[in-house]
Amino acid sequence: MTDLARLVGDIAREMADLPERGEVATYIPPLAAIDPGRFGLCVVTADGAIHLAGDALEPFSIQSISKVFALTQALGKVGEALWSRVGREPSGTPFNSIVQLEREQGIPRNPFINAGALVVADINLAGHAPRVAIGELLRFVRHLADDESIVIDEIVARAEQATGFRNIALANYMKAFGTIRHAPELTLGVYFHQCAIAMSCRQLAMAGRFLMHGGLHAPGGARIVPARRARRINALMLTCGHYDASGDFAFRVGLPGKSGVGGGILAIAPGKASIAVWSPGLNASGNSQLGTLALERLADATGWSVFAEA
Ligand code: GLU
């Protein structure tokens, strides 16, 4: 067994025994029913080795991690023009906050807060019916993960459609500024369905490989995005991927990462690894409590922090 395989197993064992696991998200009703005792970890290294531990093959709701794939898709469609409709600064506010939008003329701070992700969904919707736009994103994610079995959990999508009043408010508010161009319910439909994509840690870590390989699907493989775009997406994940706890995540883990309220985190060690972790209990900022701790352990033991000496 390699050192890394042993480390991944050790981290999963340590996490399994910890009693303080955070709180599962309850504002999306189906997520409230998930067992907080679950824990999965998958590390895919640059040479293609895959290390799995715990519930790494169990699909969960990726929620805001989908914002990474949706942003990549939108940049492919409109390129740099995207930045006239969404900023790229950390917000310092919770994921679903509306407060900055009035002062900043309806332009969300970044594509990873809900307001920014709604604008990205609106860009992906252009020229399509919502069903086609979401189908395109699902195909993209399946391609990135090399896995045709990835699906959308319709129960989660419908629950958010029925209860996502903050997101409904954000979309309508931005429609008033013209940042959202379609009927808000259509843009919201795309957004809720992308958040309801279900993936396992293994599928997520595989889908993140292009961000470890400078935009390539695999070494010597097809180009998914230009190298500069991969660097920039990683930069946004580092600075904005954990909402108002992004600074703390950079401090503790030191890797580009994107969390979701389903308890998943995708983290990238550029040139080294694509990592996905899942533990449904969240901390006060809405990020996976044990997922963050597990990544902290992994980054400490491997020296993969982007701030470490080479
Ligand atoms: N679908 C969730 C929402 O819009 C995503 C939030 C998250 O994962 O941080 O509230």
Side-chain angles (χ1 to χ4, degrees), residues 48-90:
I50 302 173
H51 302 287
L52 304 167
D55 302 311
L57 299 178
E58 176 86 17
F60 60 90
S61 192
I62 70 167
Q63 292 294 319
S64 281
I65 304 170
S66 66
K67 294 172 183 172
V68 174
F69 307 121
L71 171 67
T72 306
Q73 188 187 31
L75 284 167
K77 287 176 188 287
V78 300
E80 298 301 299
L82 183 138
W83 303 117
S84 63
R85 292 172 66 185
V86 194
R88 39 182 197 252
E89 290 295 342

Side-chain angles (χ1 to χ4, degrees), residues 27-28 63-64 67 95 114 160 167 191 195 243 259-262:
Y27 76 100
I28 302 172
Q63 292 294 319
S64 281
K67 294 172 183 172
F95 65 96
N114 287 8
E160 277 213 78
N167 288 318
Y191 174 74
C195 288
Y243 312 116
S259 67
V261 292

Side-chain angles (χ1 to χ4, degrees), residues 156-245:
V156 173
R158 272 199 293 276
E160 277 213 78
Q161 225 140 9
T163 61
F165 300 112
R166 274 181 172 268
N167 288 318
I168 294 166
L170 287 169
N172 280 283
Y173 199 47
M174 288 188 289
K175 177 73 179 171
F177 284 100
T179 346
I180 294 282
R181 301 200 175 147
H182 299 87
E185 59 274 19
L186 300 185
T187 302
L188 285 159
V190 174
Y191 174 74
F192 289 140
H193 280 81
Q194 77 176 52
C195 288
I197 294 174
M199 291 169 82
S200 66
C201 289
R202 185 186 198 280
Q203 290 167 331
L204 254 186
M206 292 294 278
R209 287 172 301 170
F210 77 104
L211 293 172
M212 98 162 121
H213 291 309
L216 297 180
H217 194 47
R223 181 160 288 290
I224 306 289
V225 296
R228 186 167 76 156
R229 183 164 297 162
R231 279 200 302 278
R232 289 175 161 184
I233 294 169
N234 281 334
L236 288 164
M237 288 170 72
L238 185 84
T239 52
C240 311
H242 282 70
Y243 312 116
D244 47 337

Side-chain angles (χ1 to χ4, degrees), residues 84-137:
S84 63
R85 292 172 66 185
V86 194
R88 39 182 197 252
E89 290 295 342
S91 70
T93 58
F95 65 96
N96 52 12
S97 175
I98 202 166
V99 293
Q100 282 163 346
L101 281 177
E102 179 165 22
R103 274 201 310 272
E104 298 177 8
Q105 286 71 50
I107 309 276
R109 275 285 174 98
N110 68 67
F112 293 154
I113 50 172
N114 287 8
L118 283 162
V119 175
V120 170
D122 196 66
I123 290 169
N124 285 332
L125 178 57
H128 294 308
R131 182 181 298 274
V132 176
I134 190 66
E136 200 175 73
L137 181 67

